[in-house]
Amino acid sequence: PQIWIDFFGAHHATTWISHRATAKVVREVTVEQLQRDHVRVKIDLSTNQLWGYLTDVTTASLQVRVRRAPQLAEAPRSPLEGLLIALEAGHGGARNTGAPGVSGSLEKDINRMAVDELARQLKAKGASIVELRPDDTNPTLVERARRATESSATLFISVHANSADQSRGYLRVSGTSTYYKYPFNRDLSAAIHARLLEFTKLNDFGNVGNFNYLPIREVTWMPSMLVEQAFMSNPEDEAKMLDPQFRETMMKAVVLGVEDWLSEQRAYLASELKSQATAADPITTSP
C-alpha cells in the first residue's frame, strides 16, 4: 500500500529523507516533481494493509500519522475477539427518516433494527461496539464521523437501505450492495459483499467504490465501508428486511465477511512475525 500526498503551488527541494531503523509501518518516503508547481510525496508501507491514517496541518508543517495493525486473537478464536467496532445506523430522528418503504416502513427503523442485530452478533464473537447513532437520535454526519475517529475503533461499518425511482415499476430494481471510498477499504467491502450474496440470495447490485457518503469519506483512521441491505422501493426486498429471521441471516453474512477479511490479515501478520523472528535468530554452525 501507498499513501500519496499532492502539493500544488510547490517546488521539490528536498535534499534528504531520514528513515529510522525502528520504523515498523512506513517502509520508505519519496518525493517527486510531477509537473511545474505539483509535488507528490509517496509513503510506501511495509505491511499488506493500510489500517488507517490521519493528517494534521499546522502553520509550519503537514503531519501524517499512519496506524499500526491491531492485535488479532490467534486462531481458532475469532479475529473479532477483543476488537472495537464502530457501527452507524443510517438516518434517524423525526426528520431524517430515510427512504420510505412500499408498505410504509421507514428506512431509519430498518437500519436501527439491522444494527442492533449486527451489534448482538459481533458481541457474541467477543467484539465491543461503539454506536455512532444511538437509539433514534440524529447526530450530523460530521458528528458521526468525529465519533468514529475519536473512538479509535478497528473498523467502521455503516448500515443503510437502498431506494430507486419507482416510475417504471416497483420491481425494476432490487438487490444488496456494499460501498467504500478509498482503495484500502476495497477488500473489506468485497468480503462482506461476497457473504451477503451467498447467504441472502439477493440480486447483486455491486461492490461500489469511490462512494462519497461523508462518514466513510471522512473516517480514514480505520477501514470504513457501508452496507446497503436491499431496496426499500422493492416490496419483496422490503418484506425481507422487515423479517427478523432474514435480518439475522443478513447480519450473520456481514459478520462472516468481516471475519473472512480479518482472517486473511491475521495470516499475513503471523507470517510476517515468523519471518522477522527467523531473521533475528543467531546463525549456528556444526563443528
Side-chain angles (χ1 to χ4, degrees):
Q2 290 182 330
I3 299 174
W4 291 2
I5 309 163
D6 288 333
F7 294 91
F8 298 94
H11 175 68
H12 176 20
T14 303
T15 54
W16 72 80
I17 301 174
S18 297
H19 301 88
R20 297 185 182 276
T22 53
K24 301 297 183 183
V25 179
V26 175
R27 178 179 180 274
E28 185 182 23
V29 178
T30 57
V31 182
E32 179 182 5
Q33 186 90 41
L34 297 181
Q35 53 187 323
R36 182 172 180 172
D37 295 334
H38 184 185
V39 172
R40 174 169 291 166
V41 176
K42 291 183 180 180
I43 304 173
D44 285 285
L45 304 185
S46 299
T47 61
N48 73 326
Q49 173 64 40
L50 172 59
W51 288 93
Y53 67 92
L54 285 177
T55 58
D56 296 305
V57 179
T58 72
T59 56
S61 68
L62 170 67
Q63 298 177 351
V64 181
R65 286 187 284 163
V66 184
R67 196 169 185 182
R68 291 178 180 269
Q71 292 290 326
L72 299 176
E74 295 183 2
R77 292 150 58 196
S78 170
L80 282 162
E81 186 176 320
L83 300 186
L84 178 64
I85 311 297
L87 299 179
E88 182 215 10
H91 303 282
R95 296 184 178 182
N96 186 12
T97 57
V102 178
S103 73
S105 65
L106 298 177
E107 183 192 346
K108 68 165 187 173
D109 297 328
I110 281 180
N111 296 339
R112 173 79 277 145
M113 292 185 289
V115 165
D116 288 346
E117 174 59 26
L118 179 56
R120 183 190 69 81
Q121 294 192 31
L122 287 170
K123 289 176 182 177
K125 294 285 187 175
S128 299
I129 303 300
V130 57
E131 174 58 71
L132 307 184
R133 196 266 282 181
D135 303 319
D136 193 27
T137 57
N138 183 30
T140 66
L141 297 184
V142 171
E143 174 64 15
R144 299 177 198 214
R146 184 192 66 78
R147 290 177 182 179
T149 299
E150 290 186 355
S151 75
S152 282
T154 305
L155 305 173
F156 168 36
I157 301 173
S158 177
V159 179
H160 287 243
N162 222 329
S163 187
D165 176 31
Q166 301 170 351
S167 62
R168 288 187 286 169
Y170 288 106
L171 303 177
R172 184 175 63 89
V173 182
S174 66
T176 189
S177 51
T178 51
Y179 298 77
Y180 62 97
K181 174 64 179 175
Y182 303 111
F184 79 96
N185 301 314
R186 184 265 174 197
D187 289 352
L188 169 63
S189 188
I192 294 173
H193 181 241
R195 286 293 195 175
L196 284 169
L197 294 177
E198 176 188 356
F199 275 76
T200 67
K201 309 303 181 185
L202 290 168
N203 291 334
D204 181 4
F205 202 69
N207 181 36
V208 182
N210 197 37
F211 191 61
N212 213 33
Y213 180 58
L214 187 144
I216 64 170
R217 183 184 77 229
E218 292 296 313
V219 177
T220 60
W221 191 227
M222 63 201 70
S224 308
M225 58 81 61
L226 182 147
V227 175
E228 291 278 11
Q229 303 169 72
F231 278 79
M232 299 290 294
S233 52
N234 183 291
E236 185 176 355
D237 278 11
E238 181 198 20
K240 288 179 177 179
M241 288 188 288
L242 288 168
D243 177 11
Q245 189 171 9
F246 186 85
R247 184 184 310 123
E248 181 179 350
T249 298
M250 175 170 274
M251 293 306 105
K252 179 180 179 181
V254 174
V255 172
L256 287 174
V258 175
E259 284 189 309
D260 290 343
W261 181 78
L262 286 173
S263 294
E264 290 183 4
Q265 306 312 314
R266 178 168 63 185
Y268 173 83
L269 293 170
S271 66
E272 281 293 290
L273 287 173
K274 184 177 180 180
S275 64
Q276 291 171 12
T278 301
D281 287 344
I283 299 175
T284 58
T285 57
S286 299

